[in-house]
Amino acid sequence: HFFVVVGLVALYQDWIAFLVGVGFVVLHHGLVGALTPESVYNHHAAQAHPWRWAAVHGAFVLAACATSLTSWRLKEEERARAETDALTGLPNRGAVLAALDEALVAAAAGPVSLLLVDLDGLKAINDTRGHPAGDAALRATAAALRAALRRGDVAGRFGGDEFMVVLPGANGGDAHGIAARALAAAAAGSGGGGAIRFSIGVATAPRDGVVAMELMMAADAAMYAAKRDGGGRALPAHGAP
């Protein structure tokens, strides 16, 4: 039970508590092993040298926990890679859709807004300047969106030249403020790769019960309206979803 408990403490990655736990195991096995060896150890070598075997057990706990944590970390990194867009470093389509579903489930606590973002002129960039320039424009779009986010907001690459931003607790005014900051960051080229333009559709679910598809369709229609108006702007969806 000593090893199991210390192993559980290791999962919290609170290293002071973990080292105190290991120290307690060593102290207990050494001290109690010296006073009543048979209550701790079941073989003669350990009963004859309780402190030596206490150190062995401490080293065993450290090694076992290190193996467990390494395996856990590798699995976490693999899961993170599976949910991340390789080009932009943003959450990918599946991850941002999951964030939208989660936000809508909690929508009883407040409104949820959604931005659908489409990079203007990506085909022209690829055709005239090459795909590396297009990739740079996509990364700059991601950087501009990151610069505008609040804590708890989630921006992800939806696919191709489209991005989605989930804004839990944001009403229409909040969403338009975030969209305006993203547009300003893009125009200033603050994300690197020079100034870019993108179009944004803004939709808000003012209540719970709105499903993701409704909100996405409303934002998508507003985004295409922004592109028809010349791009480089944000437009609201007409009517509540």
Side-chain angles (χ1 to χ4, degrees), residues 3-202:
F3 302 151
V4 172
V5 171
V6 175
L8 288 174
V9 171
L11 294 178
Y12 287 93
Q13 299 185 63
D14 184 335
W15 303 122
I16 294 177
F18 172 68
L19 292 174
V20 168
V22 173
F24 180 78
V25 170
V26 173
L27 182 64
H28 170 273
H29 282 47
L31 185 60
V32 179
L35 296 174
T36 56
E38 66 281 355
S39 68
V40 179
Y41 302 109
N42 61 1
H43 56 99
H44 178 72
Q47 292 172 358
H49 304 283
W51 284 104
R52 179 187 303 170
W53 281 85
V56 169
H57 284 198
F60 173 81
V61 172
L62 286 172
C65 290
T67 302
S68 175
L69 281 175
T70 299
S71 174
W72 177 75
R73 285 264 181 105
L74 289 173
K75 288 179 180 178
E76 285 293 299
E77 290 174 3
E78 181 180 351
R79 184 175 68 85
R81 284 195 298 270
E83 295 178 352
T84 301
D85 175 64
L87 177 63
T88 64
L90 292 177
N92 61 19
R93 181 189 184 100
V96 75
L97 284 174
L100 177 58
D101 287 336
E102 182 179 342
L104 288 173
V105 167
V112 175
S113 289
L114 179 69
L115 308 182
L116 277 184
V117 181
D118 189 271
L119 177 60
D120 295 333
L122 178 62
K123 185 177 185 303
I125 294 173
N126 286 332
D127 290 345
T128 60
R129 296 162 51 195
H131 286 278
D135 290 346
L138 290 168
R139 287 191 291 267
T141 300
L145 294 176
R146 285 193 193 96
L149 298 184
R150 311 163 305 166
R151 183 183 299 274
D153 297 338
V154 179
R157 187 179 180 196
F158 196 62
D161 57 358
E162 289 191 352
F163 297 78
M164 178 185 287
V165 183
V166 180
L167 306 173
N171 58 31
D174 297 330
H176 279 280
I178 292 166
R181 291 200 298 272
L183 290 168
S190 57
I196 54 171
R197 285 162 50 91
F198 45 70
S199 302
I200 304 177
V202 183

